[in-house]
Amino acid sequence: MKQQTALKNASGELEAFDVDSADFTLGIRKSLITEYDKKIDMIETELLSCVKADKQLEKQYGLVNSVYCIGPQTAMFIVVLTQGFTLFDDPRKFACYCGIAPFGNTSGTTLKGKPKVSHLANKRIKTLLTMCALNTIKKDNEFKRYYDRKIKEGKHHSAVLNVLRNKLISRAFAAVLKDRPYQIDLYIAA
């Protein structure tokens, strides 16, 4: 996927710069992009068939994928990295593994700093969760309202985005641990 993205970016730059002299190169790049599309689809199909071979993994994958804005690739990563939710029993521990759990920054009794996330993390899942969190704030929903409220309060974009990533992980774990799909709007009976 990285190679395909690099080809797309380079092709876009080449088209904007000099289309007439770049026709030959653009043709080659477009055929390579098409070939990458086919290979990526083939790999994703194979991964999905591996998940569907195990009924428990398939169920967990479906439950994680039911969470708002968690797509198939992120759901696959979460199920695989948690080893079917056996490696991590707590969403906070998984958030720590992903590098999105903030830790206090203190030294002795007088030096106090802002809580920060650790740089020792699985960067791939952190990136996927970031993309999921960014997708949650595109449409009007509870995540968008929360994001807007915190930004108005003066919170930094990255800090609010980190909270949204943690909310997504918590909801994914809740869906699997409660063994039911995530529902966006739950109405409480009066």
Side-chain angles (χ1 to χ4, degrees), residues 106-122:
T106 59
S107 175
T109 57
T110 57
L111 300 176
K112 293 183 180 179
K114 291 182 184 178
K116 296 183 180 185
V117 296
S118 174
H119 294 286
L120 302 173
N122 185 324

Side-chain angles (χ1 to χ4, degrees), residues 78 91-103 115-131 133 158-170 173:
I78 291 173
R92 179 84 175 157
K93 291 178 183 177
F94 185 66
C96 184
Y97 172 77
C98 296
I100 59 175
F103 291 99
K116 296 183 180 185
V117 296
S118 174
H119 294 286
L120 302 173
N122 185 324
K123 303 291 186 188
R124 182 65 183 140
I125 189 67
K126 186 175 182 177
T127 303
L128 289 172
L129 288 168
T130 300
M131 298 312 296
S158 299
V160 179
L161 205 60
N162 198 49
V163 171
L164 293 178
R165 289 187 293 221
N166 276 303
K167 285 180 178 277
L168 288 172
I169 287 176
S170 295
F173 268 76

Side-chain angles (χ1 to χ4, degrees), residues 128-143:
L128 289 172
L129 288 168
T130 300
M131 298 312 296
C132 293
L134 288 170
N135 282 332
T136 62
I137 59 174
K138 286 184 178 179
K139 295 182 181 175
D140 185 34
N141 57 46
E142 63 179 310
F143 291 102

Side-chain angles (χ1 to χ4, degrees), residues 21 40 48 60 68 107 111 114 155:
S21 62
I40 290 169
L48 198 55
Q60 290 173 346
Y68 179 68
S107 175
L111 300 176
K114 291 182 184 178
K155 298 288 185 183

